[in-house]
Amino acid sequence: MVDNGLDRKRLSAVSLRLTGADGGQMSFVTNFCANVFRHYPLYSGNFKIINSSQISRLLPAMPPIPRWCPSPGGKLLVNPSDAIGRCVYFTGDYDKKLTWLCQTILREGDTAIDVGANVGVVSLTMASCVGSTGKVLAFEPNPRLLNLFKQSIVVNGYRNIHLHECAVGAQPGVFQLNVPRTNWGQGSFKYHADTADTDRFDCRIARLSDVIRDERLERVRLVKIDVEGLEFEVLLGADLLLETIRPDVIVLETNERNQPKFGERDVVRLLQQYRYKFLSIPRSLFRVKVIPIDPRRVDDPSHDVLAIPFEKYERVVRRLV
């Protein structure tokens, strides 16, 4: 749970300042566009559309002043000048397919894990799904995003989110996180080291298996991993999760830069060793679909992939279709 020393009265005052309620900083065009785009009906495409050059010319430039906006899990504090924050602010979500997955898989009292929580859009959705008797372990090392995420937890009154201010990897340690100033959500230990206009932070890394032992977890329903190309390293340090706990679903990205064919990727081979099968979530319009993946025949499936233990595969697929 998070205690960042902010009481609700003080947060309310902060909220009014950040949303421009004290001076009407948000223009009519900004408000109008946000109200329109938050009714975006499709499951895919909102991120690309809202950050496209055409829409960027339509919308006024927004300074990097955090603002509150609605999200599937409650009020969310975002930086609207950042690519992900801009998407959430104007459309009310970052990836509607992930929201659908949380709402389909999670039940009251479940435990979920969010590795690479960003500002918390998925963590808050998970927390709303598992309720007061459930638990969400959220991991985020980026201090800029953590500051926003903590305030969102307090404002929504979530006491079931256990926020770990660290990254997750194969071995514990301290490493440099490179954060582009134009997209806080693309902070990476792997990329942007030589990129201009990038801030760098020393961040702690923990093994997921160690945290699971410390939290005394016995069951996990859903795990989301979004760590900008280090998914394999996360799972290398998660042997307890993969072998013993065996969550119903692990959703992760596998299509990072210059990757080999799907069945030859390190993260896929590792999950196969632990007896996991795969589903893709292709781009969707009005209905989310999941498609079985044969690693021997599929070269490059969807952006997000679901990994499901062999023994739970049929039951989980029936729940998803």
Side-chain angles (χ1 to χ4, degrees):
M1 290 177 284
V2 174
D3 179 9
N4 59 354
L6 293 174
D7 57 46
R8 290 183 179 278
K9 186 179 293 185
R10 185 177 163 200
L11 273 172
S12 297
V14 171
S15 302
L16 289 175
R17 281 203 309 277
L18 295 181
T19 54
D22 58 339
Q25 295 300 313
M26 287 192 297
S27 70
F28 170 78
V29 173
T30 302
N31 270 320
F32 176 78
C33 290
N35 288 329
V36 170
F37 284 119
R38 286 171 189 167
H39 291 87
Y40 181 80
L42 307 181
Y43 279 100
S44 298
N46 56 324
F47 180 84
K48 286 188 176 180
I49 290 173
I50 208 66
N51 286 292
S52 66
S53 58
Q54 295 88 343
I55 297 298
S56 295
R57 286 195 294 267
L58 171 67
L59 297 174
M62 299 186 71
I65 300 174
R67 298 182 186 275
W68 292 99
C69 65
S71 79
K75 296 178 181 177
L76 195 70
L77 189 60
V78 301
N79 169 16
S81 68
D82 165 81
I84 292 178
R86 178 185 180 91
C87 175
V88 178
Y89 181 80
F90 280 104
T91 70
D93 207 341
Y94 170 56
D95 189 334
K96 291 189 174 186
K97 298 189 303 300
L98 292 182
T99 298
W100 170 85
L101 182 66
C102 291
Q103 294 171 345
T104 302
I105 291 294
L106 293 174
R107 307 163 184 165
E108 181 83 20
D110 279 346
T111 296
I113 297 177
D114 186 2
V115 180
N118 201 277
V119 293
V121 61
V122 174
S123 291
L124 263 61
T125 302
M126 288 174 165
S128 69
C129 292
V130 303
S132 59
T133 59
K135 181 187 296 186
V136 176
L137 269 62
F139 297 84
E140 178 54 55
N142 187 333
R144 288 181 170 174
L145 301 175
L146 279 168
N147 180 51
L148 304 178
F149 189 10
K150 288 179 180 179
Q151 295 185 62
S152 296
I153 294 173
V154 174
V155 163
N156 288 284
Y158 282 126
R159 302 182 64 84
N160 57 355
I161 296 178
H162 294 216
L163 178 56
H164 294 263
E165 300 181 28
C166 65
V168 177
Q171 295 295 334
V174 176
F175 292 87
Q176 179 179 279
L177 180 69
N178 308 299
V179 182
R181 291 172 189 159
T182 56
N183 191 346
W184 294 358
Q186 281 193 338
S188 175
F189 297 101
K190 185 175 181 180
Y191 304 124
H192 314 303
D194 300 320
T195 305
D197 204 26
T198 296
D199 292 322
R200 295 165 179 84
F201 304 95
D202 289 334
C203 296
R204 183 173 65 89
I205 294 183
R207 292 181 72 251
L208 191 54
S209 289
D210 295 339
V211 178
I212 287 173
R213 289 190 186 94
D214 292 342
E215 292 270 358
R216 298 181 179 179
L217 298 185
E218 296 181 355
R219 291 185 298 273
V220 175
R221 183 78 66 184
L222 174 65
V223 179
K224 184 221 89 180
I225 305 175
D226 185 355
V227 289
E228 298 300 317
L230 292 176
E231 285 77 7
F232 178 61
E233 284 75 8
V234 169
L235 293 178
L236 279 178
D239 51 298
L240 179 61
L241 178 80
L242 298 177
E243 180 64 35
T244 304
I245 293 180
R246 301 182 68 76
D248 284 17
V249 177
I250 300 172
V251 55
L252 71 164
E253 298 177 358
T254 67
N255 59 345
E256 285 297 315
R257 307 172 189 178
N258 303 317
Q259 286 272 27
K261 294 179 179 180
F262 182 76
E264 299 172 0
R265 297 171 189 175
D266 290 337
V267 66
V268 174
R269 288 179 169 177
L270 179 65
L271 286 165
Q272 285 182 306
Q273 290 174 12
Y274 282 102
R275 307 180 309 283
Y276 282 75
K277 300 179 74 171
F278 303 95
L279 296 171
S280 70
I281 310 181
R283 293 177 182 176
S284 306
L285 297 178
F286 298 103
R287 182 174 179 271
V288 178
K289 298 181 293 183
V290 293
I291 301 174
I293 301 174
D294 184 344
R296 299 167 299 178
R297 299 184 179 182
V298 176
D299 290 345
D300 193 18
S302 57
H303 184 71
D304 293 313
V305 169
L306 308 184
I308 303 168
F310 271 36
E311 69 276 11
K312 298 182 179 181
Y313 183 80
E314 296 298 333
R315 174 173 58 82
V316 171
V317 168
R318 285 197 298 270
R319 190 170 181 84
L320 292 174
V321 298

